[in-house]
Amino acid sequence: MKKPIKMSYDETDLRIIEEIRDNARISYKNLSEAVNLSVPVVFERMKKMEERGVIQGYKTAVDYCRIGYPIHVFILLHDDRCRDGVPYMLSQMESIFQFWIVSGEYDYLLEVYLSTSQELDDLLNELYKIGRTHTMLILNKLKEDSL
């Protein structure tokens, strides 16, 4: 069997990634100026990174507090009571923004945005049917994405 080729990326690729991470709406012209390459070269590099799955999409940063979801919570969940279909069950819960399977004492890490503390209580009551939880209320975000 053939070994997969490990793709290497140079400093310019990393600078392109950093620029688009900071501003996904940057024009190719402005991006090319920022990394000192021509527009066609930047376009080709980005296209290759998209094809290889390095760049998986372009997202909008949303301040959920400003649209009515001031409660931001991370919840660790251990599936003590329910072994089958937990990922599907979690994916059906509207207030769960993202979740991951994790190693360690807990099985899942949930990121949740809610409007009220009552919604948090209701969610925790649903999660207790799956297992035990450890809840962490976000008080203040200190740092965003970084390389």
Side-chain angles (χ1 to χ4, degrees):
M1 180 183 342
K2 203 174 190 183
K3 248 186 169 179
I5 300 170
K6 184 176 179 183
M7 301 295 170
S8 62
Y9 299 93
D10 62 15
E11 279 298 314
T12 303
D13 289 325
L14 297 176
R15 286 184 59 217
I16 290 170
I17 291 168
E18 186 175 340
E19 290 292 329
I20 63 172
R21 185 198 67 224
D22 292 342
N23 179 7
R25 295 179 66 180
I26 191 171
S27 69
Y28 283 109
K29 180 182 181 296
N30 289 343
L31 182 56
S32 68
E33 290 170 2
V35 298
N36 297 318
L37 291 174
S38 69
V39 171
V41 171
V42 167
F43 179 82
E44 282 304 311
R45 281 178 176 252
M46 287 187 60
K47 184 178 173 185
K48 284 179 185 174
M49 287 190 283
E50 288 171 354
E51 289 169 352
R52 293 176 181 160
V54 173
I55 297 173
Q56 297 181 347
Y58 302 89
K59 298 179 182 178
T60 301
V62 176
D63 184 341
Y64 288 94
C65 186
R66 292 178 187 253
I67 60 170
Y69 298 94
I71 299 172
H72 186 193
V73 179
F74 282 97
I75 301 171
L76 289 165
L77 172 66
H78 182 70
D79 60 356
D80 298 302
R81 297 177 190 89
C82 180
R83 293 281 181 203
D84 296 324
V86 174
Y88 177 77
M89 291 167 56
L90 296 174
S91 69
Q92 299 305 302
M93 296 179 182
E94 258 185 51
S95 57
I96 298 176
F97 179 70
Q98 297 185 84
F99 69 95
W100 302 266
I101 295 173
V102 296
S103 64
E105 182 180 346
Y106 291 89
D107 301 302
Y108 301 94
L109 172 63
L110 318 175
E111 183 176 16
V112 178
Y113 289 94
L114 301 156
S115 296
T116 66
S117 58
Q118 182 60 53
E119 287 180 8
L120 176 58
D121 186 51
D122 293 343
L123 175 63
L124 290 173
N125 285 325
E126 282 300 306
L127 294 174
Y128 294 148
K129 294 174 186 174
I130 297 171
R132 66 188 150 94
T133 64
H134 180 85
T135 304
M136 297 166 283
L137 177 65
I138 304 302
L139 300 175
N140 195 359
K141 184 189 299 183
L142 301 177
K143 185 176 180 181
E144 281 289 333
D145 289 328
S146 64
L147 284 177

